[in-house]
Amino acid sequence: MSKPAIDLDNLPYADGDFYSFEELLSDKERSRLAEVRAWLTAEVRPNAVAWWNEGSFPQSLIPRLAELDSMSPVHRQGYSNLFAGMMHAEFTRADTSIATFIGVHDGLFTGSIELLASREQQEEWLPDIYAFRKIGAFGLTEPLGGSDVAGGTRTTARRDGANWVLNGAKRWIGNATFSDWVVIYARDVEDNQVKGFLVDTSLPGYSASRIENKIALRTVENADITLENVVVADDFHLKGANSFHDTNKVLKVTRLSVGWQAVGQQLAAFDVARRYAVERQQFGRPIASFQLVQQQLVQILGNAMSSMGMMVRLSQLEDAGTAKDEQSALAKAFTTARMRESVAAGRNILGGNGIVTDYEMAKIFSDAEAIYTYEGTQEMNTLVTGRAITGISAFV
Ligand code: FAD
């Protein structure tokens, strides 16, 4: 008699939540998370590989995202940062590119408005942003200013009566090929401080061109932006964005959500590798029956759970209002290092099929590289933490 096939969905820990972290959410949050997970399973995951192979953003998803109504879970909807983090991990588990689109539109762009715009500006702009009627981007990085952009912003803002005139270039700006607005961070030539501006992408002198040939996050459209004498009315200067210290308020929160992306990425690798290991037969047996394969699956789970434990605690500190920059920095550095190990193990478990996108894992493996670099590289987040524990800055 042949053995019954293993019903993976009904095994203990089928959801990968080995330590029941989800139980820390309120009942309302758990049921909302289940709703979002079901939506992602139906709307995103089945299409994600095709979108990625095509290499352009699926515009048809935008009205569906508006219906899901997941924007600004903490600031607008009153959920905890813990819930927001777990939801962002779920987006990533379904597809890292779609999570990154949300991370840019909701986290970096909307976060800039929520944290740095005046009340009047927020009242005017946020309704369209929350409803996805206006799509946003976040323009900080420059062709010559990446890790050192805080002190090295070259894009300039010059006050001219009731207006500002912006000149310069930005690189890697997600969503900016089609976004309606982009928050541009530029150095005021008067006081040398980095200020933030809401720039309408139809303004004369603004242009954006798509960065081609990416090996990661192919569904996200990243752009090179050029600003040539772009005139922005002072009403579009974010009233609370007057130094890089202000910009950092946004980055601290978004770094938290990138740590959660690293969790989602590892859970995605776990899902795909576990299923493959149980189904793939070699030597007349599922490869999951080999001890060395089980060891690799357990390594992925252990990495994912240690990352999740760290992110849960950091989110709780954020909810308590006490999370520090360096705590976000260490979490981003640690979870993305574990993520790199996990996706490599997952890729290995799929053998040759791990390098074709048809089996999902190649997409998961490649997308991890972008997460590893954006929101502060491994080295920069390590040095931010190093500065906190020694009192000595190794980079400025
Ligand atoms: P560099 O700063 O040139 O660094 C190159 C290498 O040198 C890295 O390994 C770095 O760690 C190392 N290094 C640099 N300085 C030091 C030091 N002092 N000590 C040790 N090592 C050092 N930016 C935006 O503004 N908006 C976006 O929407 C956006 N989206 C992105 C999407 C993707 C897919 C990617 C890849 C990037 C995105 N970025 C975005 C930019 C991202 O934040 C930068 O890539 C990142 O900050 C690193 O800058 P860089 O690429 O210029 O690398």
Side-chain angles (χ1 to χ4, degrees):
M1 203 170 73
S2 64
K3 278 190 179 171
I6 296 167
D7 180 3
L8 275 180
D9 295 329
N10 285 312
L11 279 185
Y13 314 114
D15 60 2
D17 186 6
F18 202 74
Y19 292 101
S20 307
F21 285 120
E22 233 178 274
E23 287 179 10
L24 296 169
L25 298 176
S26 69
D27 290 348
K28 181 183 161 212
E29 289 175 330
R30 280 164 74 180
S31 83
R32 176 63 177 151
L33 188 63
E35 214 180 302
V36 171
R37 186 177 284 141
W39 186 91
L40 289 164
T41 304
E43 302 273 342
V44 171
R45 193 166 168 202
N47 303 310
V49 166
W51 292 334
W52 199 93
N53 286 340
E54 206 171 289
S56 58
F57 188 81
Q59 296 294 325
S60 58
L61 193 68
I62 291 177
R64 305 289 298 135
L65 282 164
E67 282 168 32
L68 180 67
D69 192 28
S70 66
M71 281 286 289
S72 190
V74 179
H75 185 92
R76 180 177 68 113
Q77 301 190 336
Y79 288 109
S80 62
N81 278 286
L82 183 59
F83 168 81
M86 287 192 186
M87 183 169 74
H88 203 54
E90 281 304 321
F91 266 88
T92 311
R93 196 173 186 175
D95 183 50
T96 324
S97 289
I98 300 307
T100 300
F101 166 82
I102 294 291
V104 172
H105 175 64
D106 190 353
L108 288 163
F109 169 72
T110 307
S112 296
I113 311 284
E114 288 176 341
L115 291 169
L116 305 179
S118 68
R119 183 168 295 277
E120 295 71 38
Q121 290 174 323
Q122 291 183 15
E123 280 169 9
E124 190 172 340
W125 302 332
L126 284 175
D128 281 340
I129 294 169
Y130 289 149
F132 288 85
R133 285 189 293 272
K134 295 278 193 189
I135 301 297
F138 175 89
L140 176 63
T141 306
E142 304 190 341
L144 301 177
S147 301
D148 70 352
V149 75
T153 303
R154 289 168 175 81
T155 298
T156 57
R158 183 173 48 81
R159 187 72 192 252
D160 182 16
N163 298 321
W164 293 85
V165 183
L166 305 187
N167 277 289
K170 296 285 173 185
R171 179 157 170 81
W172 285 116
I173 311 309
N175 306 347
T177 50
F178 57 84
S179 69
D180 304 282
W181 281 331
V182 53
V183 170
I184 294 284
Y185 288 91
R187 186 171 298 283
D188 183 349
V189 293
E190 265 318 290
D191 63 7
N192 213 25
Q193 296 294 327
V194 173
K195 300 193 170 155
F197 302 87
L198 185 74
V199 174
D200 186 319
T201 57
S202 65
L203 284 173
Y206 175 96
S207 64
S209 62
R210 183 151 92 186
I211 297 175
E212 304 286 356
N213 308 326
K214 287 188 298 169
I215 64 150
L217 297 184
R218 288 178 49 76
T219 311
V220 177
E221 297 191 20
N222 293 92
D224 277 310
I225 291 176
T226 308
L227 301 138
E228 278 179 8
N229 293 319
V230 177
V231 178
V232 178
D234 186 51
D235 290 347
F236 291 84
H237 164 223
L238 308 188
K239 297 299 174 231
N242 293 312
S243 71
F244 200 82
H245 177 74
D246 297 326
T247 315
N248 246 340
K249 293 177 191 161
V250 182
L251 296 176
K252 181 183 146 213
V253 180
T254 51
R255 199 157 285 157
L256 178 81
S257 66
V258 174
W260 278 105
Q261 284 191 344
V263 172
Q265 197 74 2
Q266 296 182 74
L267 290 172
F270 178 74
D271 292 340
V272 174
R274 188 176 69 121
R275 182 164 298 279
Y276 190 87
V278 168
E279 290 173 358
R280 172 74 172 174
Q281 303 255 337
Q282 288 294 294
F283 300 94
R285 302 154 62 181
I287 60 170
S289 69
F290 303 125
Q291 293 173 356
L292 293 176
V293 173
Q294 288 197 6
Q295 186 271 334
Q296 291 174 76
L297 287 172
V298 171
Q299 182 200 9
I300 299 173
L301 180 66
N303 280 345
M305 290 301 102
S306 62
S307 302
M308 200 161 173
M310 197 173 202
M311 293 315 302
V312 163
R313 182 63 189 140
L314 179 60
S315 300
Q316 289 173 333
L317 293 176
E318 186 67 24
D319 279 325
T322 60
K324 309 263 189 328
D325 280 354
E326 56 269 22
Q327 290 171 326
S328 285
L330 178 58
K332 201 272 177 175
F334 177 85
T335 58
T336 54
R338 298 292 76 71
M339 169 192 69
R340 244 187 172 185
E341 293 168 2
S342 297
V343 300
R347 213 284 313 140
N348 185 45
I349 288 170
L350 267 75
N353 288 331
I355 68 155
V356 282
T357 52
D358 313 38
Y359 291 81
E360 281 188 78
M361 189 60 84
K363 174 173 78 68
I364 294 166
F365 178 83
S366 305
D367 286 348
E369 287 303 299
I371 299 179
Y372 193 70
T373 288
Y374 64 40
E375 291 285 344
T377 64
Q378 179 67 212
E379 290 74 22
M380 294 317 297
N381 280 306
T382 299
L383 294 179
V384 168
T385 313
R387 181 178 60 188
I389 59 171
T390 63
I392 303 168
S393 173
F395 61 101
V396 281

